[in-house]
Amino acid sequence: MELEIYADAAAVGRRAAEIIAEAINTKPDVTLGLATGRTPISTYDALVRLYDSGKVEFSGVTTFNLDEYVSLPSDDPHSYHAYMREHLFQHVNLLPGAAHTPQGDADDLERECAQYEAAIDAAGGIGLQLLGIGRNGHIGFNEPGAGWNLPTHVVELKEGTRRANANFFGGDVARVPTRAISMGILTIMHAHRLLLLATGDTKSAIMQRAIEGAISPDVPASILQLHPDALVLLDTAAASRLHATTTAHALRLAVDAGPAIPRSGEHRSPAT
Ligand code: PGA
């Protein structure tokens, strides 16, 4: 696991967008795994700016989103389908049919999960998977206690996760669905590269546990310590509880000087 620390969420977003654009420019038919939530919004904003300025284009790219709420049709404004259209898909030149998000309103949810997993396999697996992290350590909607060995499956959402996401539902937790379809930890760990983003001090405690703590299903993101190519981008607030020996080797931009491009291996060094 490698670690980079930036001044603020906007700088994390610019760096993440730069990494995604570089992955596309290196392999124009790359398969991206995408995430939703508040955290990646600055990444998608920066990625759209890179697209608008001609630095990247998406005509060969395939995408798979991590998750979707059960019961929401894809045209529901609260669905992750709608989120992705709003923040990325409508702004770039992905080909029709190239973007995949689980169908939360499928009649047969088990079959939808199996088909989603099969579609990822048929695309050759995920090249670069973007991840956020819940305050309880979830990745995708793999909540604490989730099995390590699960592919895409239906999950019950924890109360805290529903509360954390209520702001997308007008602040009304009762409107947040109780279940979701999510890629499993197995699906996520099979991605060739992982890019986890965490910003703000509400994520500092869980990042300390995920990066420095024991690898345990109690903190699903801790499994990233075992992935051969996982990069974590934090802002200074989310990194504030990390031990000095962890952050000493991280690329640290205390002042936002715009996106920094470490030459391979020059600034990045293992955090664990
Ligand atoms: P957030 O959600 O970016 O809205 O904090 C992250 C997550 O739950 O994975």
Side-chain angles (χ1 to χ4, degrees), residues 200-226:
D201 57 11
T202 59
K203 300 289 171 69
S204 61
I206 196 64
M207 287 318 301
Q208 191 277 327
R209 292 181 70 197
I211 294 176
E212 297 176 344
I215 299 167
S216 158
D218 294 342
V219 182
S222 64
I223 190 100
L224 267 63
Q225 295 178 34
L226 297 178

Side-chain angles (χ1 to χ4, degrees), residues 120-150:
I120 293 171
D121 284 346
I126 290 168
L128 174 63
Q129 175 69 55
L130 185 63
L131 296 168
I133 181 170
R135 271 177 269 180
N136 63 6
H138 73 212
I139 47 176
F141 271 134
N142 295 281
E143 301 279 34
W148 292 145
N149 246 340
L150 293 173

Side-chain angles (χ1 to χ4, degrees), residues 35-41 66-67 80 83 131-141 143 161 164-165 167-168 197-199 202-203:
T36 51
R38 279 152 293 224
T39 311
I41 290 175
L66 280 166
D67 42 27
Y80 288 152
Y83 171 106
L131 296 168
I133 181 170
R135 271 177 269 180
N136 63 6
H138 73 212
I139 47 176
F141 271 134
E143 301 279 34
T161 296
N165 290 356
N167 68 312
F168 286 108
L197 316 179
T199 57
T202 59
K203 300 289 171 69

Side-chain angles (χ1 to χ4, degrees), residues 93-106:
N93 66 333
L94 273 167
L95 292 185
H100 304 82
T101 300
Q103 287 301 137
D105 62 342

Side-chain angles (χ1 to χ4, degrees), residues 39-115:
T39 311
I41 290 175
S42 62
T43 299
Y44 296 136
D45 286 349
L47 204 48
V48 170
R49 286 198 298 274
L50 290 176
Y51 172 76
D52 286 342
S53 59
K55 299 215 168 71
V56 67
E57 64 94 25
F58 291 75
S59 64
V61 174
T62 301
T63 68
F64 287 91
N65 264 78
L66 280 166
D67 42 27
E68 180 59 283
Y69 291 111
V70 164
S71 77
L72 297 192
S74 54
D75 59 359
D76 187 297
H78 303 109
S79 69
Y80 288 152
H81 282 82
Y83 171 106
M84 290 308 302
R85 280 194 298 275
E86 178 187 344
H87 293 290
L88 184 66
F89 297 159
Q90 70 177 352
H91 305 290
V92 300
N93 66 333
L94 273 167
L95 292 185
H100 304 82
T101 300
Q103 287 301 137
D105 62 342
D107 290 337
D108 183 340
L109 293 173
E110 300 305 326
R111 196 170 64 183
E112 172 63 14
C113 292
Q115 285 176 347

